Amino acid sequence: KLKSNNEQQRLLDTIWHDDPKVVAKSGYDIRGINIYRRNLLANAVRALSISFPTLFELLDSDVSEHISQQFLMLFPPVKGDWAQWGDALASFISNTEVGKEYPYISDCASLDWNIHCALHGIDQTFDQSTLQLLNDCEPEHIFIRFNSNVKLLQTIYPITEIYYAHHGEKSQRNDFMKSAHQALLSPLRSKTVMIYRPEFQPKVTTLMHGEGEFMHSLMSGQSLANALNNVKE
């Protein structure tokens, strides 16, 4: 049992240190360190492969294992549940060699993480009675509170197509892959991707420009009237 975060960090530093002399001087048993190292890395790779399925489909196994190890060294889990670990992976990958060579993968990682969070989010239902406000109130007095599982991502890459090319209906995956390749070869434009969970399974869609502006306005706390005006502009 670790007594503090500092002790946990010292153990992790020892586990990943390349110099055997440092491990020997640490006071930890070398054989135990090697066993702990293999188990910890295996758990990290397994956890991240579940939370980031698209990312792990895009990366070779040796690359994903290396990234998992480096991420584990810099961002060790602070909670007992591995499913809650990984929120910083997308930004971490953007600064790696593979992330700079293929910059779209960090946005794919962001999408994976938001889908993962939506999948484990709290069940929420729409209050149908609030629709009456559309008849009773002026648009400038109407504000919309969204389900916490709804998220918006701004990207220039076809991450929706990439996601469904790996996780969509098998009969449609080739079409999504072709669309993704074509989009990557075309001029890249900013787009809004929305993650939502209508029932129990998260969904992903790319919004049209006006839809994206509308959703960003509403989710930033603006009134329905302002959101509509922003679309017109």
Side-chain angles (χ1 to χ4, degrees):
K1 182 179 179 180
L2 303 180
K3 297 180 180 180
S4 65
N5 289 335
N6 288 336
E7 185 175 350
Q8 182 183 22
Q9 187 60 56
R10 185 169 69 87
L11 174 59
L12 289 172
D13 291 341
T14 303
I15 289 172
W16 301 122
H17 208 288
D18 294 329
D19 189 349
K21 295 180 180 179
V22 173
V23 178
K25 292 180 181 179
S26 67
Y28 295 114
D29 180 76
I30 295 179
R31 290 173 299 180
I33 286 292
N34 288 334
I35 293 173
Y36 198 100
R37 176 184 296 173
R38 289 193 296 270
N39 290 341
L40 188 61
L41 180 56
N43 286 334
V45 171
R46 187 181 305 111
L48 293 179
S49 68
I50 294 172
S51 302
F52 298 87
T54 313
L55 177 67
F56 273 66
E57 288 280 353
L58 294 171
L59 299 177
D60 293 334
S61 58
D62 57 334
V63 176
S64 59
E65 182 173 312
H66 176 71
I67 286 178
S68 298
Q69 178 179 333
Q70 296 299 312
F71 183 68
L72 182 61
M73 292 170 61
L74 294 175
F75 301 93
V78 295
K79 299 179 181 179
D81 187 357
W82 282 96
Q84 299 181 42
W85 177 62
D87 62 316
L89 183 61
S91 59
F92 169 78
I93 285 181
S94 66
N95 293 313
T96 64
E97 183 177 342
V98 67
K100 293 176 181 178
E101 185 175 358
Y102 304 101
Y104 59 86
I105 68 170
S106 61
D107 283 4
C108 288
S110 292
L111 179 59
D112 274 344
W113 180 251
N114 279 278
I115 293 173
H116 174 73
C117 291
L119 181 63
H120 295 85
I122 299 173
D123 292 336
Q124 296 172 316
T125 57
F126 176 63
D127 186 356
Q128 298 283 347
S129 64
T130 59
L131 290 174
Q132 185 60 37
L133 293 174
L134 295 173
N135 292 324
D136 298 342
C137 302
E138 294 298 325
E140 58 265 26
H141 297 140
I142 295 177
F143 298 84
I144 298 177
R145 178 181 296 174
F146 282 86
N147 185 312
S148 61
N149 297 314
V150 177
K151 301 294 181 183
L152 300 178
L153 293 179
Q154 204 68 25
T155 182
I156 60 174
Y157 302 109
I159 59 176
T160 299
E161 289 82 355
I162 294 174
Y163 175 80
Y164 282 118
H166 293 92
H167 311 294
E169 295 292 335
K170 290 185 178 180
S171 61
Q172 299 177 342
R173 290 185 183 183
N174 286 336
D175 291 337
F176 279 115
M177 185 64 75
K178 290 178 182 177
S179 296
H181 280 301
Q182 183 177 359
L184 288 172
L185 294 174
S186 304
L188 299 175
R189 295 183 177 86
S190 180
K191 64 197 74 175
T192 301
V193 172
M194 184 172 71
I195 302 97
Y196 61 105
R197 198 182 77 182
E199 292 180 350
F200 301 104
Q201 185 62 38
K203 305 291 184 182
V204 182
T205 187
T206 300
L207 302 178
M208 297 178 62
H209 177 72
E211 295 173 331
E213 291 291 328
F214 183 67
M215 287 295 295
H216 276 294
S217 298
L218 290 177
M219 293 190 72
S220 67
Q222 297 186 45
S223 69
L224 179 59
N226 285 342
L228 291 170
N229 289 331
N230 290 339
V231 173
K232 293 176 182 178
E233 294 173 359

